mmCIF file of all heavy atoms in Angstrom:
data_model
loop_
_atom_site.group_PDB
_atom_site.id
_atom_site.type_symbol
_atom_site.label_atom_id
_atom_site.label_comp_id
_atom_site.label_asym_id
_atom_site.label_seq_id
_atom_site.Cartn_x
_atom_site.Cartn_y
_atom_site.Cartn_z
ATOM 1 N N ALA Y 449 18.838 176.889 265.736
ATOM 2 C CA ALA Y 449 20.143 177.532 265.583
ATOM 3 C C ALA Y 449 20.311 178.617 266.638
ATOM 4 O O ALA Y 449 19.341 179.197 267.106
ATOM 5 C CB ALA Y 449 20.257 178.137 264.186
ATOM 6 N N ARG Y 450 21.541 178.872 266.975
ATOM 7 C CA ARG Y 450 21.872 179.945 267.904
ATOM 8 C C ARG Y 450 23.017 180.737 267.292
ATOM 9 O O ARG Y 450 24.019 180.178 266.859
ATOM 10 C CB ARG Y 450 22.313 179.369 269.243
ATOM 11 C CG ARG Y 450 22.612 180.417 270.297
ATOM 12 C CD ARG Y 450 23.101 179.804 271.604
ATOM 13 N NE ARG Y 450 24.462 179.319 271.545
ATOM 14 C CZ ARG Y 450 25.545 180.084 271.645
ATOM 15 N NH1 ARG Y 450 25.426 181.382 271.762
ATOM 16 N NH2 ARG Y 450 26.728 179.550 271.610
ATOM 17 N N LEU Y 451 22.867 182.046 267.229
ATOM 18 C CA LEU Y 451 23.931 182.880 266.698
ATOM 19 C C LEU Y 451 25.081 182.951 267.695
ATOM 20 O O LEU Y 451 24.875 182.959 268.904
ATOM 21 C CB LEU Y 451 23.408 184.286 266.407
ATOM 22 C CG LEU Y 451 22.314 184.371 265.350
ATOM 23 C CD1 LEU Y 451 21.868 185.821 265.176
ATOM 24 C CD2 LEU Y 451 22.798 183.815 264.032
ATOM 25 N N THR Y 452 26.282 182.994 267.186
ATOM 26 C CA THR Y 452 27.475 183.097 268.015
ATOM 27 C C THR Y 452 27.939 184.547 268.005
ATOM 28 O O THR Y 452 28.060 185.157 266.953
ATOM 29 C CB THR Y 452 28.589 182.183 267.461
ATOM 30 O OG1 THR Y 452 28.069 180.866 267.321
ATOM 31 C CG2 THR Y 452 29.783 182.148 268.380
ATOM 32 N N THR Y 453 28.208 185.096 269.164
ATOM 33 C CA THR Y 453 28.635 186.487 269.246
ATOM 34 C C THR Y 453 30.119 186.609 268.894
ATOM 35 O O THR Y 453 30.879 185.634 269.006
ATOM 36 C CB THR Y 453 28.421 187.046 270.669
ATOM 37 O OG1 THR Y 453 29.305 186.369 271.560
ATOM 38 C CG2 THR Y 453 26.979 186.901 271.117
ATOM 39 N N PRO Y 454 30.560 187.801 268.488
ATOM 40 C CA PRO Y 454 31.989 187.993 268.212
ATOM 41 C C PRO Y 454 32.868 187.649 269.419
ATOM 42 O O PRO Y 454 33.937 187.054 269.249
ATOM 43 C CB PRO Y 454 32.082 189.479 267.861
ATOM 44 C CG PRO Y 454 30.737 189.816 267.303
ATOM 45 C CD PRO Y 454 29.777 188.986 268.116
ATOM 46 N N ASP Y 455 32.425 187.990 270.619
ATOM 47 C CA ASP Y 455 33.214 187.666 271.809
ATOM 48 C C ASP Y 455 33.362 186.159 271.996
ATOM 49 O O ASP Y 455 34.432 185.677 272.387
ATOM 50 C CB ASP Y 455 32.588 188.272 273.063
ATOM 51 C CG ASP Y 455 32.720 189.786 273.103
ATOM 52 O OD1 ASP Y 455 33.626 190.334 272.434
ATOM 53 O OD2 ASP Y 455 31.917 190.422 273.804
ATOM 54 N N GLU Y 456 32.307 185.407 271.728
ATOM 55 C CA GLU Y 456 32.386 183.944 271.845
ATOM 56 C C GLU Y 456 33.365 183.379 270.829
ATOM 57 O O GLU Y 456 34.180 182.512 271.161
ATOM 58 C CB GLU Y 456 31.012 183.310 271.634
ATOM 59 C CG GLU Y 456 30.055 183.513 272.774
ATOM 60 C CD GLU Y 456 28.699 182.920 272.466
ATOM 61 O OE1 GLU Y 456 28.064 183.338 271.463
ATOM 62 O OE2 GLU Y 456 28.271 182.043 273.228
ATOM 63 N N VAL Y 457 33.306 183.863 269.597
ATOM 64 C CA VAL Y 457 34.215 183.384 268.556
ATOM 65 C C VAL Y 457 35.655 183.706 268.953
ATOM 66 O O VAL Y 457 36.553 182.874 268.788
ATOM 67 C CB VAL Y 457 33.849 183.989 267.186
ATOM 68 C CG1 VAL Y 457 34.875 183.607 266.135
ATOM 69 C CG2 VAL Y 457 32.468 183.530 266.759
ATOM 70 N N ASP Y 458 35.886 184.907 269.490
ATOM 71 C CA ASP Y 458 37.236 185.267 269.935
ATOM 72 C C ASP Y 458 37.729 184.336 271.040
ATOM 73 O O ASP Y 458 38.896 183.938 271.050
ATOM 74 C CB ASP Y 458 37.279 186.713 270.432
ATOM 75 C CG ASP Y 458 37.217 187.725 269.303
ATOM 76 O OD1 ASP Y 458 37.366 187.350 268.125
ATOM 77 O OD2 ASP Y 458 37.001 188.922 269.618
ATOM 78 N N ARG Y 459 36.867 183.983 271.967
ATOM 79 C CA ARG Y 459 37.267 183.045 273.037
ATOM 80 C C ARG Y 459 37.651 181.683 272.456
ATOM 81 O O ARG Y 459 38.647 181.081 272.870
ATOM 82 C CB ARG Y 459 36.152 182.895 274.065
ATOM 83 C CG ARG Y 459 36.092 184.044 275.046
ATOM 84 C CD ARG Y 459 35.248 183.728 276.275
ATOM 85 N NE ARG Y 459 33.865 183.396 275.962
ATOM 86 C CZ ARG Y 459 32.883 184.278 275.826
ATOM 87 N NH1 ARG Y 459 33.121 185.568 275.977
ATOM 88 N NH2 ARG Y 459 31.661 183.891 275.551
ATOM 89 N N TYR Y 460 36.854 181.187 271.506
ATOM 90 C CA TYR Y 460 37.173 179.890 270.882
ATOM 91 C C TYR Y 460 38.515 179.973 270.153
ATOM 92 O O TYR Y 460 39.346 179.064 270.245
ATOM 93 C CB TYR Y 460 36.088 179.472 269.888
ATOM 94 C CG TYR Y 460 34.708 179.299 270.474
ATOM 95 C CD1 TYR Y 460 33.579 179.628 269.724
ATOM 96 C CD2 TYR Y 460 34.507 178.815 271.755
ATOM 97 C CE1 TYR Y 460 32.303 179.472 270.244
ATOM 98 C CE2 TYR Y 460 33.231 178.658 272.277
ATOM 99 C CZ TYR Y 460 32.139 178.992 271.512
ATOM 100 O OH TYR Y 460 30.880 178.836 272.026
ATOM 101 N N ALA Y 461 38.725 181.059 269.430
ATOM 102 C CA ALA Y 461 39.967 181.223 268.673
ATOM 103 C C ALA Y 461 41.170 181.345 269.612
ATOM 104 O O ALA Y 461 42.208 180.728 269.368
ATOM 105 C CB ALA Y 461 39.867 182.452 267.773
ATOM 106 N N THR Y 462 41.018 182.117 270.676
ATOM 107 C CA THR Y 462 42.099 182.271 271.648
ATOM 108 C C THR Y 462 42.442 180.930 272.292
ATOM 109 O O THR Y 462 43.615 180.588 272.463
ATOM 110 C CB THR Y 462 41.716 183.312 272.721
ATOM 111 O OG1 THR Y 462 41.468 184.561 272.067
ATOM 112 C CG2 THR Y 462 42.818 183.496 273.735
ATOM 113 N N ALA Y 463 41.431 180.147 272.616
ATOM 114 C CA ALA Y 463 41.657 178.818 273.192
ATOM 115 C C ALA Y 463 42.392 177.903 272.215
ATOM 116 O O ALA Y 463 43.104 176.988 272.632
ATOM 117 C CB ALA Y 463 40.328 178.192 273.604
ATOM 118 N N ALA Y 464 42.243 178.170 270.909
ATOM 119 C CA ALA Y 464 42.920 177.369 269.890
ATOM 120 C C ALA Y 464 44.299 177.932 269.541
ATOM 121 O O ALA Y 464 44.953 177.451 268.618
ATOM 122 C CB ALA Y 464 42.055 177.313 268.631
ATOM 123 N N GLY Y 465 44.730 178.986 270.264
ATOM 124 C CA GLY Y 465 46.057 179.538 270.035
ATOM 125 C C GLY Y 465 46.104 180.648 269.002
ATOM 126 O O GLY Y 465 47.182 180.971 268.504
ATOM 127 N N LEU Y 466 44.960 181.228 268.677
ATOM 128 C CA LEU Y 466 44.918 182.306 267.688
ATOM 129 C C LEU Y 466 44.743 183.651 268.378
ATOM 130 O O LEU Y 466 44.177 183.736 269.464
ATOM 131 C CB LEU Y 466 43.764 182.085 266.714
ATOM 132 C CG LEU Y 466 43.790 180.759 265.945
ATOM 133 C CD1 LEU Y 466 42.528 180.612 265.110
ATOM 134 C CD2 LEU Y 466 45.034 180.663 265.081
ATOM 135 N N THR Y 467 45.223 184.711 267.729
ATOM 136 C CA THR Y 467 45.103 186.071 268.244
ATOM 137 C C THR Y 467 44.233 186.883 267.293
ATOM 138 O O THR Y 467 44.514 186.928 266.095
ATOM 139 C CB THR Y 467 46.491 186.731 268.351
ATOM 140 O OG1 THR Y 467 47.316 185.918 269.185
ATOM 141 C CG2 THR Y 467 46.399 188.132 268.916
ATOM 142 N N PRO Y 468 43.185 187.529 267.806
ATOM 143 C CA PRO Y 468 42.347 188.359 266.934
ATOM 144 C C PRO Y 468 43.175 189.472 266.291
ATOM 145 O O PRO Y 468 44.014 190.089 266.930
ATOM 146 C CB PRO Y 468 41.301 188.952 267.877
ATOM 147 C CG PRO Y 468 41.270 188.023 269.049
ATOM 148 C CD PRO Y 468 42.675 187.508 269.182
ATOM 149 N N GLU Y 469 42.948 189.678 264.989
ATOM 150 C CA GLU Y 469 43.710 190.677 264.241
ATOM 151 C C GLU Y 469 42.805 191.820 263.762
ATOM 152 O O GLU Y 469 43.179 192.976 263.835
ATOM 153 C CB GLU Y 469 44.378 190.006 263.047
ATOM 154 C CG GLU Y 469 45.175 190.924 262.175
ATOM 155 C CD GLU Y 469 45.788 190.174 261.021
ATOM 156 O OE1 GLU Y 469 45.040 189.489 260.294
ATOM 157 O OE2 GLU Y 469 47.002 190.282 260.846
ATOM 158 N N GLY Y 470 41.614 191.489 263.256
ATOM 159 C CA GLY Y 470 40.706 192.516 262.768
ATOM 160 C C GLY Y 470 39.287 191.990 262.690
ATOM 161 O O GLY Y 470 39.072 190.787 262.584
ATOM 162 N N ARG Y 471 38.319 192.892 262.777
ATOM 163 C CA ARG Y 471 36.909 192.488 262.666
ATOM 164 C C ARG Y 471 36.241 193.425 261.677
ATOM 165 O O ARG Y 471 36.425 194.637 261.735
ATOM 166 C CB ARG Y 471 36.210 192.542 264.018
ATOM 167 C CG ARG Y 471 34.748 192.170 263.908
ATOM 168 C CD ARG Y 471 34.110 191.841 265.246
ATOM 169 N NE ARG Y 471 34.639 190.581 265.742
ATOM 170 C CZ ARG Y 471 35.166 190.409 266.936
ATOM 171 N NH1 ARG Y 471 35.226 191.382 267.794
ATOM 172 N NH2 ARG Y 471 35.626 189.238 267.311
ATOM 173 N N TYR Y 472 35.457 192.843 260.766
ATOM 174 C CA TYR Y 472 34.858 193.591 259.671
ATOM 175 C C TYR Y 472 33.386 193.233 259.520
ATOM 176 O O TYR Y 472 32.933 192.198 260.004
ATOM 177 C CB TYR Y 472 35.609 193.289 258.370
ATOM 178 C CG TYR Y 472 37.100 193.479 258.524
ATOM 179 C CD1 TYR Y 472 37.929 192.390 258.773
ATOM 180 C CD2 TYR Y 472 37.657 194.743 258.477
ATOM 181 C CE1 TYR Y 472 39.300 192.566 258.955
ATOM 182 C CE2 TYR Y 472 39.018 194.928 258.650
ATOM 183 C CZ TYR Y 472 39.838 193.833 258.883
ATOM 184 O OH TYR Y 472 41.186 194.002 259.073
ATOM 185 N N ALA Y 473 32.667 194.090 258.808
ATOM 186 C CA ALA Y 473 31.234 193.886 258.591
ATOM 187 C C ALA Y 473 30.954 193.004 257.384
ATOM 188 O O ALA Y 473 29.887 192.409 257.285
ATOM 189 C CB ALA Y 473 30.532 195.230 258.419
ATOM 190 N N ASP Y 474 31.920 192.901 256.458
ATOM 191 C CA ASP Y 474 31.694 192.133 255.222
ATOM 192 C C ASP Y 474 33.031 191.802 254.560
ATOM 193 O O ASP Y 474 34.091 192.163 255.063
ATOM 194 C CB ASP Y 474 30.780 192.913 254.266
ATOM 195 C CG ASP Y 474 31.308 194.300 253.950
ATOM 196 O OD1 ASP Y 474 32.538 194.482 253.889
ATOM 197 O OD2 ASP Y 474 30.474 195.215 253.771
ATOM 198 N N TRP Y 475 32.956 191.110 253.408
ATOM 199 C CA TRP Y 475 34.164 190.691 252.690
ATOM 200 C C TRP Y 475 34.901 191.874 252.066
ATOM 201 O O TRP Y 475 36.041 191.731 251.639
ATOM 202 C CB TRP Y 475 33.829 189.658 251.619
ATOM 203 C CG TRP Y 475 33.435 188.349 252.219
ATOM 204 C CD1 TRP Y 475 32.186 187.808 252.265
ATOM 205 C CD2 TRP Y 475 34.289 187.413 252.878
ATOM 206 N NE1 TRP Y 475 32.215 186.605 252.917
ATOM 207 C CE2 TRP Y 475 33.494 186.337 253.298
ATOM 208 C CE3 TRP Y 475 35.658 187.387 253.164
ATOM 209 C CZ2 TRP Y 475 34.014 185.246 253.981
ATOM 210 C CZ3 TRP Y 475 36.168 186.292 253.837
ATOM 211 C CH2 TRP Y 475 35.349 185.241 254.242
ATOM 212 N N ASN Y 476 34.266 193.039 251.995
ATOM 213 C CA ASN Y 476 34.936 194.253 251.505
ATOM 214 C C ASN Y 476 35.726 194.935 252.622
ATOM 215 O O ASN Y 476 36.272 196.012 252.427
ATOM 216 C CB ASN Y 476 33.915 195.233 250.928
ATOM 217 C CG ASN Y 476 33.265 194.670 249.690
ATOM 218 O OD1 ASN Y 476 33.916 194.038 248.867
ATOM 219 N ND2 ASN Y 476 31.975 194.894 249.554
ATOM 220 N N LEU Y 477 35.747 194.322 253.795
ATOM 221 C CA LEU Y 477 36.461 194.800 254.980
ATOM 222 C C LEU Y 477 35.936 196.151 255.466
ATOM 223 O O LEU Y 477 36.677 196.979 255.988
ATOM 224 C CB LEU Y 477 37.973 194.860 254.731
ATOM 225 C CG LEU Y 477 38.617 193.555 254.237
ATOM 226 C CD1 LEU Y 477 40.107 193.733 254.078
ATOM 227 C CD2 LEU Y 477 38.293 192.395 255.150
ATOM 228 N N SER Y 478 34.620 196.326 255.336
ATOM 229 C CA SER Y 478 33.973 197.516 255.891
ATOM 230 C C SER Y 478 34.068 197.454 257.405
ATOM 231 O O SER Y 478 34.017 196.377 257.992
ATOM 232 C CB SER Y 478 32.495 197.570 255.483
ATOM 233 O OG SER Y 478 32.376 197.582 254.075
ATOM 234 N N PRO Y 479 34.206 198.604 258.055
ATOM 235 C CA PRO Y 479 34.308 198.609 259.523
ATOM 236 C C PRO Y 479 33.106 197.937 260.179
ATOM 237 O O PRO Y 479 31.967 198.151 259.777
ATOM 238 C CB PRO Y 479 34.356 200.092 259.872
ATOM 239 C CG PRO Y 479 34.819 200.764 258.633
ATOM 240 C CD PRO Y 479 34.274 199.944 257.498
ATOM 241 N N TYR Y 480 33.379 197.133 261.179
ATOM 242 C CA TYR Y 480 32.319 196.432 261.905
ATOM 243 C C TYR Y 480 31.736 197.328 262.985
ATOM 244 O O TYR Y 480 32.470 198.018 263.707
ATOM 245 C CB TYR Y 480 32.860 195.157 262.554
ATOM 246 C CG TYR Y 480 31.869 194.493 263.463
ATOM 247 C CD1 TYR Y 480 30.831 193.742 262.944
ATOM 248 C CD2 TYR Y 480 31.954 194.635 264.840
ATOM 249 C CE1 TYR Y 480 29.896 193.142 263.777
ATOM 250 C CE2 TYR Y 480 31.036 194.033 265.679
ATOM 251 C CZ TYR Y 480 30.015 193.294 265.136
ATOM 252 O OH TYR Y 480 29.095 192.713 265.969
ATOM 253 N N THR Y 481 30.425 197.324 263.103
ATOM 254 C CA THR Y 481 29.735 197.895 264.259
ATOM 255 C C THR Y 481 28.671 196.886 264.656
ATOM 256 O O THR Y 481 28.292 196.011 263.874
ATOM 257 C CB THR Y 481 29.063 199.254 263.948
ATOM 258 O OG1 THR Y 481 28.019 199.050 262.996
ATOM 259 C CG2 THR Y 481 30.066 200.267 263.418
ATOM 260 N N GLU Y 482 28.178 197.000 265.856
ATOM 261 C CA GLU Y 482 27.205 196.030 266.359
ATOM 262 C C GLU Y 482 25.866 196.085 265.632
ATOM 263 O O GLU Y 482 25.035 195.204 265.815
ATOM 264 C CB GLU Y 482 27.012 196.217 267.860
ATOM 265 C CG GLU Y 482 28.242 195.797 268.638
ATOM 266 C CD GLU Y 482 28.031 195.839 270.135
ATOM 267 O OE1 GLU Y 482 26.885 195.959 270.587
ATOM 268 O OE2 GLU Y 482 29.038 195.731 270.856
ATOM 269 N N GLN Y 483 25.646 197.080 264.785
ATOM 270 C CA GLN Y 483 24.384 197.158 264.038
ATOM 271 C C GLN Y 483 24.306 196.109 262.936
ATOM 272 O O GLN Y 483 23.237 195.773 262.471
ATOM 273 C CB GLN Y 483 24.179 198.545 263.440
ATOM 274 C CG GLN Y 483 25.020 198.799 262.192
ATOM 275 C CD GLN Y 483 24.879 200.206 261.659
ATOM 276 O OE1 GLN Y 483 24.963 201.149 262.417
ATOM 277 N NE2 GLN Y 483 24.671 200.327 260.385
ATOM 278 N N TYR Y 484 25.479 195.579 262.517
ATOM 279 C CA TYR Y 484 25.493 194.558 261.469
ATOM 280 C C TYR Y 484 25.172 193.190 262.067
ATOM 281 O O TYR Y 484 25.702 192.834 263.117
ATOM 282 C CB TYR Y 484 26.851 194.505 260.775
ATOM 283 C CG TYR Y 484 27.165 195.727 259.961
ATOM 284 C CD1 TYR Y 484 28.042 196.685 260.419
ATOM 285 C CD2 TYR Y 484 26.562 195.921 258.727
ATOM 286 C CE1 TYR Y 484 28.325 197.823 259.685
ATOM 287 C CE2 TYR Y 484 26.830 197.048 257.980
ATOM 288 C CZ TYR Y 484 27.714 197.996 258.460
ATOM 289 O OH TYR Y 484 27.979 199.105 257.723
ATOM 290 N N PRO Y 485 24.346 192.400 261.396
ATOM 291 C CA PRO Y 485 23.985 191.089 261.937
ATOM 292 C C PRO Y 485 25.081 190.038 261.759
ATOM 293 O O PRO Y 485 25.083 189.017 262.425
ATOM 294 C CB PRO Y 485 22.734 190.704 261.144
ATOM 295 C CG PRO Y 485 22.898 191.421 259.841
ATOM 296 C CD PRO Y 485 23.612 192.710 260.178
ATOM 297 N N MET Y 486 26.021 190.279 260.853
ATOM 298 C CA MET Y 486 27.080 189.310 260.566
ATOM 299 C C MET Y 486 28.427 189.986 260.793
ATOM 300 O O MET Y 486 28.526 191.211 260.828
ATOM 301 C CB MET Y 486 26.991 188.828 259.116
ATOM 302 C CG MET Y 486 25.629 188.259 258.747
ATOM 303 S SD MET Y 486 25.211 186.776 259.665
ATOM 304 C CE MET Y 486 26.065 185.572 258.706
ATOM 305 N N PHE Y 487 29.487 189.169 260.905
ATOM 306 C CA PHE Y 487 30.816 189.732 261.073
ATOM 307 C C PHE Y 487 31.856 188.785 260.496
ATOM 308 O O PHE Y 487 31.615 187.593 260.325
ATOM 309 C CB PHE Y 487 31.116 190.005 262.555
ATOM 310 C CG PHE Y 487 31.109 188.775 263.420
ATOM 311 C CD1 PHE Y 487 32.268 188.071 263.664
ATOM 312 C CD2 PHE Y 487 29.935 188.320 263.991
ATOM 313 C CE1 PHE Y 487 32.264 186.938 264.454
ATOM 314 C CE2 PHE Y 487 29.907 187.196 264.784
ATOM 315 C CZ PHE Y 487 31.085 186.500 265.024
ATOM 316 N N LEU Y 488 32.994 189.341 260.175
ATOM 317 C CA LEU Y 488 34.142 188.603 259.672
ATOM 318 C C LEU Y 488 35.316 188.993 260.550
ATOM 319 O O LEU Y 488 35.582 190.179 260.739
ATOM 320 C CB LEU Y 488 34.423 188.984 258.214
ATOM 321 C CG LEU Y 488 35.731 188.534 257.626
ATOM 322 C CD1 LEU Y 488 35.705 187.029 257.421
ATOM 323 C CD2 LEU Y 488 35.996 189.235 256.317
ATOM 324 N N THR Y 489 36.002 188.010 261.117
ATOM 325 C CA THR Y 489 37.147 188.298 261.971
ATOM 326 C C THR Y 489 38.356 187.556 261.428
ATOM 327 O O THR Y 489 38.258 186.411 261.020
ATOM 328 C CB THR Y 489 36.870 187.843 263.422
ATOM 329 O OG1 THR Y 489 35.678 188.468 263.880
ATOM 330 C CG2 THR Y 489 38.017 188.242 264.347
ATOM 331 N N THR Y 490 39.488 188.251 261.412
ATOM 332 C CA THR Y 490 40.743 187.607 260.994
ATOM 333 C C THR Y 490 41.581 187.368 262.248
ATOM 334 O O THR Y 490 41.522 188.127 263.214
ATOM 335 C CB THR Y 490 41.515 188.478 259.993
ATOM 336 O OG1 THR Y 490 41.760 189.758 260.565
ATOM 337 C CG2 THR Y 490 40.732 188.631 258.691
ATOM 338 N N TYR Y 491 42.366 186.311 262.202
ATOM 339 C CA TYR Y 491 43.208 185.913 263.332
ATOM 340 C C TYR Y 491 44.605 185.592 262.838
ATOM 341 O O TYR Y 491 44.808 185.262 261.672
ATOM 342 C CB TYR Y 491 42.640 184.655 264.014
ATOM 343 C CG TYR Y 491 41.279 184.866 264.609
ATOM 344 C CD1 TYR Y 491 40.130 184.603 263.874
ATOM 345 C CD2 TYR Y 491 41.129 185.336 265.904
ATOM 346 C CE1 TYR Y 491 38.869 184.813 264.408
ATOM 347 C CE2 TYR Y 491 39.884 185.550 266.451
ATOM 348 C CZ TYR Y 491 38.762 185.283 265.699
ATOM 349 O OH TYR Y 491 37.519 185.502 266.234
ATOM 350 N N THR Y 492 45.574 185.675 263.735
ATOM 351 C CA THR Y 492 46.929 185.234 263.442
ATOM 352 C C THR Y 492 47.270 184.119 264.417
ATOM 353 O O THR Y 492 46.693 184.021 265.502
ATOM 354 C CB THR Y 492 47.941 186.379 263.590
ATOM 355 O OG1 THR Y 492 47.856 186.928 264.903
ATOM 356 C CG2 THR Y 492 47.685 187.475 262.574
ATOM 357 N N LYS Y 493 48.217 183.292 263.998
ATOM 358 C CA LYS Y 493 48.658 182.190 264.856
ATOM 359 C C LYS Y 493 50.040 182.521 265.404
ATOM 360 O O LYS Y 493 50.915 182.945 264.660
ATOM 361 C CB LYS Y 493 48.707 180.883 264.071
ATOM 362 C CG LYS Y 493 49.060 179.704 264.931
ATOM 363 C CD LYS Y 493 48.945 178.413 264.188
ATOM 364 C CE LYS Y 493 49.320 177.297 265.142
ATOM 365 N NZ LYS Y 493 48.931 176.013 264.648
ATOM 366 N N ARG Y 494 50.178 182.333 266.702
ATOM 367 C CA ARG Y 494 51.468 182.584 267.348
ATOM 368 C C ARG Y 494 52.526 181.606 266.840
ATOM 369 O O ARG Y 494 52.217 180.448 266.570
ATOM 370 C CB ARG Y 494 51.336 182.442 268.850
ATOM 371 C CG ARG Y 494 50.366 183.408 269.454
ATOM 372 C CD ARG Y 494 50.258 183.198 270.969
ATOM 373 N NE ARG Y 494 49.015 183.778 271.429
ATOM 374 C CZ ARG Y 494 48.093 183.162 272.124
ATOM 375 N NH1 ARG Y 494 48.267 181.907 272.495
ATOM 376 N NH2 ARG Y 494 46.977 183.765 272.489
ATOM 377 N N ALA Y 495 53.745 182.095 266.738
ATOM 378 C CA ALA Y 495 54.849 181.234 266.259
ATOM 379 C C ALA Y 495 55.291 180.278 267.336
ATOM 380 O O ALA Y 495 55.135 180.460 268.486
ATOM 381 C CB ALA Y 495 56.021 182.089 265.829
#
């Protein structure tokens, strides 16, 4: 397995027509910092 970085996920999402909206450390929407091993990112789709 290879971990995917937040920047890589953003590139994939942007290529699919999505715009990054927010990035969080967990499902409680705690602020993300690079010290967390996991991340949650929300995206919006252009009209």
Side-chain angles (χ1 to χ4, degrees):
R450 183 182 74 80
L451 297 179
T452 307
T453 67
D455 290 337
E456 287 177 301
V457 174
D458 286 348
R459 281 195 301 273
Y460 300 146
T462 300
L466 302 175
T467 303
E469 179 180 54
R471 178 164 290 127
Y472 308 98
D474 55 33
W475 290 108
N476 294 320
L477 306 182
S478 301
Y480 172 77
T481 65
E482 290 186 13
Q483 77 184 48
Y484 292 103
M486 305 296 277
F487 62 92
L488 168 71
T489 304
T490 56
Y491 297 92
T492 57
K493 184 173 180 165
R494 299 179 200 126

